[in-house]
Amino acid sequence: MSYDKNNIFAKILRGEIPCKKVYENEYVLSFYDTNPKKKIHVLVIPKNEYIDLDDFTNKASDKEIVEFNKAILHVVKMLKISSHERGYRVLSNIGKDGGQEVPHFHYHIFGGEQIGKMVV
Ligand code: 5GP
């Protein structure tokens, strides 16, 4: 499967669709999910074109992978839900069975309340 340049997150990255930004740097963009499943529900996406975690891990540079993970830590600190504070959960849906809706790699960050069961 090739990357769909018209997916919603690609449009957000191009500025064609607005987002409520949390954080941005050279490598990533983080913004609030429009349909939050928990009190805090934020997405973190790489700026380059990757379909999912597999694609990202196979094709991204080591620098991009490190920066992506560091951005997650940065965002949870900004939101005051880091491991030293209330804690949080990260999740990435991959493919059909994983329930991925938007084919641009992303991590969900949930927090601000008890997240509950790992999988329902
Ligand atoms: P997935 O199921 O692909 O892991 O998650 C996609 C997420 O993107 C969903 O939680 C959905 O609510 C969110 N989403 C879909 N369209 C938009 C949008 O236009 N803006 C924002 N901020 N989030 C969106």
Side-chain angles (χ1 to χ4, degrees), residues 96-107:
K96 194 156 65 72
D97 278 1
Q100 183 175 4
E101 289 168 16
V102 180
H104 180 108
F105 173 51
H106 54 281
Y107 259 46

Side-chain angles (χ1 to χ4, degrees), residues 8-9 12 31-35 93 99-102 106 108:
I8 207 102
F9 293 170
I12 286 174
F31 50 94
Y32 286 94
D33 196 295
T34 44
N35 184 19
N93 297 317
Q100 183 175 4
E101 289 168 16
V102 180
H106 54 281
H108 297 257

Side-chain angles (χ1 to χ4, degrees), residues 44-108:
V44 181
I45 70 174
K47 286 196 170 172
N48 284 334
E49 297 175 350
Y50 303 108
I51 300 167
D52 57 21
L53 179 64
D54 290 27
D55 197 35
F56 181 66
T57 307
N58 282 327
K59 295 181 187 159
S61 67
D62 289 354
K63 177 77 174 159
E64 282 178 283
I65 293 171
V66 168
E67 290 295 334
F68 185 82
N69 283 287
K70 283 188 175 172
I72 290 171
L73 299 192
H74 187 77
V75 166
V76 298
K77 274 185 201 152
M78 286 179 71
L79 298 169
K80 302 196 184 316
I81 58 169
S82 74
S83 59
H84 302 296
E85 296 160 287
R86 294 184 57 139
Y88 59 98
R89 179 173 297 164
V90 291
L91 178 149
S92 190
N93 297 317
I94 298 146
K96 194 156 65 72
D97 278 1
Q100 183 175 4
E101 289 168 16
V102 180
H104 180 108
F105 173 51
H106 54 281
Y107 259 46
H108 297 257

